[in-house]
Structure formats: structure tokens, C-alpha cells
Amino acid sequence: MKKYRLLFIISVFYTSVSSIIAQNIVVDDTYTAQQLVQNVLVNSTCANVTNFSVSGDTFSGNAKSYGYFSYSGSAFPFSSGIVLSTSRATRTQGPNSDLIDEGNINWLGDADLEQALAVSGTFNATVLEFDFTPLTDKISFDYLFASEEYQGTAPCRYSDGFAFLLKPVGSTAPYQNLALIPNTTTPVKVTSVHPLIPENNGCAAENETYFGSYNPTTYPINFNGQTLVMTAKATVIPGQTYHIKLVIADEENIRYDSAIFLDGGSFNVGVDLGADRLIATNNPICFGDTLTLDATLAGSNSYQWFKNGLPIGGATNPTYTVFNAGIYTVEITLSTSTCITTGEIEIEYSNLPLLSNQTLVQCDPDGNGTSAFNLTQLNATITGGNAQLGAVSYYTSLTNAQSLTNPITNLTTFQSSSGNQIFASVANSFGCRNQATVDLIIANNPITPLTPIQKCDTDGNLDGVTNFDWNTEVTPNVLLGLPTGLAVAYYISSNDALSESNPLPANYTTTTPFQQTIYARITNGSDCYGIISVVLQVLVFDPPQLQDQTIYTCNGNPINLSVPNNYASYTWLNGATTNTITATQPGIYSVVATNAFGCQKTKTFTVIDSEVANIMSIEINDFNNENNTVIININGNGSYEFSLDGDIYQDSPVFTNVTPNIYLVYVKDKRGCGIITKQIVVLDYPRFFTPNGDGINDVWYIKNIINQPNTSIAIYDRYGKLVYSFNEKQNGWNGKSNATDVFASDYWFVIEFPNKKIVKGHFSLKR
């Protein structure tokens, strides 16, 4: 964190040395214990001080760890006093340019300090002790603690210790430590008074209010950091002799030294008038209030009160009542001695919160003469939006508002008739309160009922639910004919409108199809002007006649496109405005029809041209024992279906499992442009025949072969010898060769068609 010595040229050093000395404390370590106590610290006739002692380390050259310091600048809070250190006292002189890290393990610690702080292992203790007998019941003195351990993360773990130990002389009770954080039992240490230490996984702030500063290198004392000026105080018994021990020591080791600085002349044996009442300390007196100061001490003493250093005429009683700000001092002359003791307190006043009286106007939807008022909506206007003020509370009487009794609890639903007055109470950050009045009025403004507000369902769903923009589509109708300057908010129910709960968003989508009632709250500032119902109607325009349609034409013929002639207007994509147009070519034609309510519906006509198919070829795969197939090959600008009998159609041009027969193939345009036909023959051969003269299967022939001109059939035995041949015009083979019956056996055939197609197979002759 610090410290590096800089080498200056000789001339600069000599010209600046006097100013450097003037800017830093100067330590004289030749003072005796009695001089430090009587001449520096106490300097009061209200305490008899005796039995002085001081101890520490005697360094080389007789340097001591304690001494008297003086200061003439403005950067350090004390102009003179006592310094007690764990190093040479002269090392505490500024500037803050090098690290104080000295001492030795033979310089012992202090057992009383260890007991007071509940620690062990202290070294390098410096102790100033004395006895005193107070003549009043209060003592106090001012001090600050400074340490080299205010650096890095050391405040999270390490601290030297010090204590101001007090107890009656001769008592065996433990010492009372006066060096505590105010209103706690926590000793003042580096580890108990520091700001947030964020770096290197440091630690949270501890009692940061009492941390003074990290000191720059030019600071008047040679320490890294220090506390604020703090006050050690105690209640004592007048006439009782006490022993006080002021002690500081290194803790755990002799490294990184610390010191306590005691303000000269601050050892006050006097009267405690209480803590200062300041705005800075958040405890001023509220405007209009008084504070009674009590300086009473036992005995027939004389009192004189002062304000801002000037005596207050007639203020000679032990108590004094303060009515306004100032520094108040009491001077008490004890009748039994020459002691003149004092007490002082500074008083500041806080202004009361500046509040604004209000009138709140509420509506009465059911007309019964009472209504529910939402008082919270006045909070910002009563306080003028001052975020420094506290919460606003409401009461039915001024007395309750002033005493904070029986507050109104149903703030958002407070029931009242017109003309009632309630009271608001608000405190500032110091607890100072003021009151404002609130007049409750019920509005009685005539508002003409609204006709339903209609809107076409245009969001594409046509479900009777759509979005309304209050600002453009509803509010102008609500405010029509009403005074200017009014505002409108919308709610699901009249109760919500009355309490201003759950306002609807600026763009609202209805939740009830086709018709929904909502409620409009009309306001004039924070006042309710009126609440009316608003019927929202969603119009759905979706007649069946305006559904999209596909229309087919044949061979490019024109066609009329038409929608019903009972709507307000028509607009075609091509600019026509009649309900009918003529389409002369395929394409997309659309028309927007508008009804009497202004709702629009678009109908799209898709015009597609078609034609009769052209059969290019038919593939017949026959002679497969009824597993025959027929494939129809076509072209054409249409959508076609196929049939082999004219009754049953299919989308595929492929027919399977076709039995042998003569068929008329049908190809039909689905769009109505016509049918084309063509005859085909599906052939097959018998797998056996029985030429026994019974009239059944006596002849082997190819059914329907007569429809295949110029076809020849040859029959062979198993040895390849031609047995018989015939053509399509002959009756077939009767099982004879040269008029003689051939043997029962398997025979082979070859069929030759005129298109060079050849079919081969075999069959059985059975006898």
C-alpha cells in the first residue's frame, strides 16, 4: 500500500522543510507521566489526579513509545494531546511516507489488556496510568486509533489492541473497557472498524460509520489509516477514587505498529446532556417540539445556561427547555469546591414534511350513495412525489393521525359517503410528522350510454375474438360530448374499475366471442368522473358463397366468375368493381367483397385449363395365367383417371391381375373435358386340354386370338418335332397329328405375332 522515500535535490529539500514540519504533528517524548496527565489530558479542577505512571520501551538514544504531540494544521482533528504507540512515539510524525514496523519480542505485552480484549500473545505494550477522584458523575475524553494494519486485506484478519480500563481503586472486579464502539460491547480495532474490503476475497464492512480514512502520503501522521474521533465515557460516583489505565499493544507479533491519539484537555469531568441532536446523525428535533435538558447534580450548586456561547438570561435552573436550534452549554459551579464543570449539546431542528391537502372524487356505479375509495392513489400527490418521505397512513380523525392510533387498514376499498374528511400522516427520515386533510366526494356526472362498438374480425381466425385499440377505436366514443382533459382506463368488471385494479392493456384482445362487455373508468386527474359499460361487438363476415374456389375450363374456353350480388361493394384484383367478370385464360382471380358494416372478405378463384387425354400407347403384359398387367401411356394438360370397363375408375394407369379378355380402355379427364377410349385384347393359353370327345376342353386354342391378325401358332413334342400348326382364323388343335391321336404328354408352343412378338410355353394333353 505504501511507502517509498523520494530523493529530492538539496535545494528543494531546504526550501520546503519548514512547510513540511508545519503540516505534520510534532512529538516531544520527554514528558513525564504527571505532565502528560495533569498538563495535557485532564487540565480540570473537577478531578483530583494522583499516582501517575507511564511505561513502554526505551529505544536506542532514549527514544520513548509515548509523548506529547502538537499540530498547527487543519488535516488532523487534534491540535495537541498524548500519543501512545507500539513504536517510537516520534515515528508517528508525518508525512505518511514509510512503514512503521519496529519493536522487539523482549518488550512485553499487558495481561490486563489481554483479559479485556479476550486475546493472548501481546507484545510491545505502552501504558499510561493514574488515579482520579471526580466531583461529578460523568467523565469523558476524545481519541482516535491509527494503524499500519489498515492496508490490503489485513483488516479482515489482523489488529493490534488497545483499551481504556477503569475501576474503583482497591476493587477486585474486572476492569471496565471504555474504548468500545458506541452502544455496543465491541472493542475498537482494525478488524471491527473498516470499510468493505473487496479485493482478494476480502470481507464485508464492519462499523464503517466510525472509520475515518485511508491516509495519503502527505498526511500529518505516519499511519495508513485511522478511525474517526471517538469519545470514551463512563458514569462515576462523585468522591470515589478511580484508577484508569490507557494501554496499547501489538497482538500476535511485533509487526506493523499502531497508536492511540488522545485529545489534549478533553478529559471532561462534568455533566452529560445527552447525544447531539443533529441532522447529520439522523436525530434532530422536529419543528414545533421541545427538548428539556437536565444537568442536575447533587448538592446546592449554581447553574448558568448558554446558547451559542452567550448566557441565557434567567436560565439558572438545573433544567432548561430548548425551543430552537443552537449549541447549548451549562456551567455548573459546585458549592463544595472550586470546580466549575460544563456540559454541552448541539441541537438542530428538522422541518416537518411539506404535504398537500387533497380532494378525492370517486364514482358510485350502483347509485347507493356510498362508494369504495382507493386512498393509496393520493400518496404521491400528498407528498409531492418526495421519495425521501416515509409511507402515508390515513385516519378518520386528526387526533388519531397525530397519535398514530387506529389507522385505516382497508386503504384500497375504504367505504365512505360524499363529504367525509379523513387525515393523512407522513414522516420524514427523522421521524418528524405532519398531517394533511383529504375530502372524499362522490361524483354525479351525467354520461350518455354508449351504443355497441363494432369491429370486424380481421385477424384471420374468424372466431369472433379480435383486438381493440382503446386509444383509437374506443376512447373517442367514450369521451364524445364530455369536457376536455379527461382520461379513460378499461377494466373487466365494474368492481375493478371502481378500485382501479387490473387495468386492461392498451391493445386488448377480447375473451368472449362475438360480444363482450367491459367497463370504462373516466378520470379527471386522480378523481373519478364516471364509470360506464362498453359493449364490444366482433363481426364475423365469412359467408359460404365467398369461400375460395377452383374452376376448370376446357381447351382455353372463357368462363364467367361470379359472387352473390348482395354486398355493398366489390373490388377485383384486376380493378373491376362488379360482382361478375370473365376469365379468358387460366390464372388466379380474387375479389374483395365488402358488406354493409364495412367488413371485408376475399374470395380467390383458381382457374385451371384442361383437355381430353391422348393415348400414346398401351403396354399389355399377358400370357401370365391371369397375372397379366396393362399400362396406359398418355399425354395431355389435365387430371386423368383410368378404367377397363367404363364403370370403375382408378387414378393409376397401371392395371394388374387382368384376366384374358377383350377390353375397352377408358381415359377420363376429372375436370370434365371428356373421355377417350381404345380397345385392347389380353391373351392367355390353356394349361391343358382333354380331347376325349365329351365336348369339354376338346380343342387347345388361344381365346380371342382371332383379334390378332396374321398370327401363327406352332406345337412341338418334347423332342422338338412339329406336331401341328395353325393361325388365328383356325379352330385350334384337337390332339391329332395326321388324323391320328397323339400320346398324352406335355407339348410346347410358339406364337408369332405380326409385330415380331413371340410367346413360348407348354401345356398338357390328357387322355
Side-chain angles (χ1 to χ4, degrees):
M1 176 177 177
K2 71 172 186 178
K3 299 168 179 174
Y4 300 97
R5 294 188 179 274
L6 301 178
L7 297 178
F8 298 93
I9 60 175
I10 298 301
S11 61
V12 173
F13 174 79
Y14 282 115
T15 56
S16 61
V17 66
S18 60
S19 63
I20 292 175
I21 293 174
Q23 293 172 358
N24 304 320
I25 68 167
V26 177
V27 175
D28 183 345
D29 63 357
T30 63
Y31 275 54
T32 65
Q34 184 172 354
Q35 288 174 320
L36 292 174
V37 174
Q38 280 188 332
N39 300 341
V40 180
L41 181 62
V42 178
N43 196 23
S44 172
T45 61
C46 295
N48 297 317
V49 289
T50 57
N51 195 23
F52 316 101
S53 68
V54 64
S55 62
D57 191 30
T58 301
F59 294 82
S60 60
N62 294 321
K64 299 181 179 63
S65 58
Y66 53 86
Y68 164 77
F69 74 86
S70 60
Y71 176 65
S72 59
S74 59
F76 192 66
F78 301 148
S79 60
S80 64
I82 299 171
V83 57
L84 306 178
S85 177
T86 60
S87 68
R88 286 173 289 173
T90 53
R91 287 294 306 280
T92 66
Q93 299 174 138
N96 181 31
S97 57
D98 64 343
L99 180 68
I100 310 177
D101 185 20
E102 62 185 27
N104 64 80
I105 60 174
N106 296 323
W107 179 7
L108 300 179
D110 186 86
D112 290 333
L113 175 63
E114 293 178 0
Q115 183 179 28
L117 301 184
V119 299
S120 61
T122 60
F123 299 89
N124 299 357
T126 297
V127 181
L128 176 63
E129 300 179 82
F130 61 94
D131 294 341
F132 71 95
T133 304
L135 300 182
T136 66
D137 61 356
K138 305 290 182 184
I139 66 161
S140 66
F141 55 92
D142 295 336
Y143 69 96
L144 67 79
F145 173 58
S147 177
E148 297 286 38
E149 291 174 333
Y150 276 119
Q151 61 174 302
T153 59
C156 302
R157 300 182 299 278
Y158 309 116
S159 178
D160 293 336
F162 75 98
F164 303 145
L165 305 177
L166 176 71
K167 69 177 178 179
V169 171
S171 172
T172 58
Y175 277 110
Q176 174 189 358
N177 182 14
L178 308 186
L180 303 176
I181 294 169
N183 303 313
T184 74
T185 58
T186 304
V188 176
K189 302 178 75 173
V190 171
T191 51
S192 65
V193 180
H194 63 75
L196 170 69
I197 311 294
E199 64 271 12
N200 299 322
N201 297 317
C203 54
E206 295 285 347
N207 301 296
E208 187 175 8
T209 303
Y210 302 102
F211 178 70
S213 62
Y214 287 111
N215 297 329
T217 56
T218 58
Y219 201 64
I221 62 174
N222 191 23
F223 287 101
N224 285 332
Q226 65 185 54
T227 68
L228 291 176
V229 175
M230 305 178 76
T231 300
K233 59 179 64 177
T235 299
V236 293
I237 300 173
Q240 171 79 57
T241 300
Y242 291 86
H243 182 73
I244 190 165
K245 181 176 183 177
L246 312 177
V247 55
I248 185 170
D250 284 329
E251 185 180 325
E252 293 189 22
N253 54 51
I254 65 173
R255 304 300 306 275
Y256 289 22
D257 293 307
S258 303
I260 48 177
F261 293 86
L262 305 171
D263 187 18
S266 69
F267 192 94
N268 181 34
V269 181
V271 62
D272 186 3
L273 298 180
D276 290 340
R277 303 294 296 272
L278 306 175
I279 290 175
T281 54
N282 295 314
N283 63 340
I285 307 298
C286 298
F287 180 82
D289 289 350
T290 60
L291 177 67
T292 297
L293 305 177
D294 189 352
T296 302
L297 293 178
S300 55
N301 308 311
S302 61
Y303 300 84
Q304 177 60 57
W305 292 89
F306 298 80
K307 177 183 179 183
N308 298 331
L310 300 177
I312 303 172
T316 57
N317 293 321
T319 62
Y320 180 76
T321 300
V322 173
F323 293 91
N324 45 47
I327 298 175
Y328 291 86
T329 307
V330 63
E331 186 178 279
I332 309 171
T333 302
L334 300 185
S335 60
T336 58
S337 72
T338 60
C339 169
I340 298 177
T341 188
T342 62
E344 183 176 282
I345 186 172
E346 184 175 357
I347 304 294
E348 291 180 345
Y349 272 77
S350 166
N351 291 327
L352 300 183
L354 182 61
L355 307 180
S356 175
N357 296 333
Q358 297 295 318
T359 297
L360 180 59
V361 181
Q362 178 61 298
C363 297
D364 181 15
D366 58 12
N368 67 353
T370 63
S371 191
F373 289 79
N374 182 359
L375 304 180
T376 61
Q377 69 187 77
L378 293 177
N379 292 351
T381 54
I382 286 174
T383 62
N386 187 348
Q388 303 302 315
L389 299 182
V392 183
S393 54
Y394 296 87
Y395 304 83
T396 56
S397 71
L398 179 59
T399 300
N400 286 347
Q402 292 171 334
S403 62
L404 303 180
T405 56
N406 302 317
I408 295 172
T409 56
N410 55 333
L411 296 177
T412 59
T413 58
F414 179 67
Q415 293 289 329
S416 176
S417 58
S418 188
N420 281 345
Q421 187 177 75
I422 61 173
F423 300 85
S425 178
V426 184
N428 61 17
S429 59
F430 309 121
C432 300
R433 285 191 170 271
N434 202 359
Q435 290 76 39
T437 61
V438 177
D439 293 311
L440 304 179
I441 305 296
I442 291 181
N444 186 25
N445 300 306
I447 302 176
T448 303
L450 287 181
T451 58
I453 296 176
Q454 299 176 329
K455 183 177 181 180
C456 300
D457 190 346
T458 58
D459 57 14
N461 293 328
L462 299 178
D463 53 2
V465 172
T466 196
N467 176 270
F468 283 83
D469 184 332
W470 302 131
N471 292 334
T472 61
E473 298 173 337
V474 181
T475 298
N477 296 282
V478 173
L479 296 180
L480 185 64
L482 299 181
T484 59
L486 301 179
V488 186
Y490 298 88
Y491 303 85
I492 285 291
S493 68
S494 61
N495 285 337
D496 280 355
L498 188 65
S499 62
E500 299 181 85
S501 303
N502 308 310
L504 299 177
N507 285 282
Y508 174 68
T509 300
T510 57
T511 56
T512 302
F514 308 113
Q515 181 167 302
Q516 182 174 351
T517 300
I518 52 93
Y519 295 85
R521 179 185 175 95
I522 308 168
T523 55
N524 184 9
S526 60
D527 295 335
C528 183
Y529 186 88
I531 295 175
I532 62 171
S533 62
V534 179
V535 177
L536 305 177
Q537 289 184 344
V538 181
L539 306 177
V540 175
F541 180 41
D542 190 28
Q545 300 88 342
L546 294 181
Q547 302 306 307
D548 292 347
Q549 185 178 357
T550 299
I551 295 179
Y552 301 100
T553 61
C554 295
N555 303 313
N557 294 324
I559 189 171
N560 288 334
L561 306 178
S562 180
V563 295
N565 190 25
N566 57 354
Y567 302 119
S569 65
Y570 307 88
T571 303
W572 291 86
L573 190 61
N574 63 3
T577 58
T578 60
N579 70 309
T580 300
I581 65 170
T582 299
T584 59
Q585 58 185 3
I588 303 296
Y589 297 81
S590 63
V591 59
V592 177
T594 304
N595 67 7
F597 299 104
C599 301
Q600 295 182 330
K601 172 67 176 178
T602 299
K603 176 169 183 171
T604 298
F605 294 91
T606 302
V607 178
I608 300 175
D609 193 40
S610 194
E611 62 184 358
V612 177
N614 181 29
I615 298 177
M616 305 300 294
S617 65
I618 299 177
E619 300 177 30
I620 302 172
N621 297 310
D622 48 7
F623 293 99
N624 289 313
N625 194 23
E626 297 189 357
N627 292 322
N628 308 303
T629 61
V630 175
I631 302 173
I632 305 168
N633 298 310
I634 63 168
N635 65 8
N637 183 30
S639 177
Y640 303 104
E641 56 186 357
F642 307 86
S643 177
L644 294 180
D645 60 7
D647 292 327
I648 300 174
Y649 282 86
Q650 65 182 40
D651 290 335
S652 172
V654 178
F655 292 86
T656 60
N657 301 319
V658 181
T659 60
N661 211 338
I662 299 173
Y663 295 95
L664 188 62
V665 172
Y666 296 82
V667 181
K668 181 169 67 174
D669 180 31
K670 294 181 180 179
R671 299 164 180 170
C673 290
I675 300 174
I676 188 171
T677 62
K678 185 173 183 179
Q679 181 176 293
I680 63 170
V681 178
V682 178
L683 301 175
D684 208 346
Y685 65 93
R687 269 42 179 185
F688 68 91
F689 78 113
T690 56
N692 54 13
D694 63 358
I696 301 174
N697 291 331
D698 286 337
V699 177
W700 187 90
Y701 71 102
I702 306 299
K703 185 180 180 180
N704 296 323
I705 194 68
I706 193 172
N707 294 297
Q708 301 293 327
N710 302 316
T711 300
S712 64
I713 301 100
I715 298 173
Y716 301 89
D717 64 14
R718 68 176 61 188
Y719 303 108
K721 178 181 178 181
L722 178 66
V723 177
Y724 187 77
S725 64
F726 60 95
N727 61 34
E728 81 280 1
K729 297 178 181 179
Q730 296 173 303
N731 291 332
W733 183 42
N734 59 4
K736 296 180 182 292
S737 176
N738 297 321
T740 301
D741 291 337
V742 299
F743 294 106
S745 182
D746 286 344
Y747 292 87
W748 278 257
F749 67 87
V750 176
I751 304 173
E752 294 187 16
F753 293 93
N755 61 358
K756 308 304 182 181
K757 174 182 177 182
I758 296 175
V759 177
K760 297 179 180 181
H762 66 91
F763 60 91
S764 298
L765 187 155
K766 298 180 180 181
R767 296 291 183 180

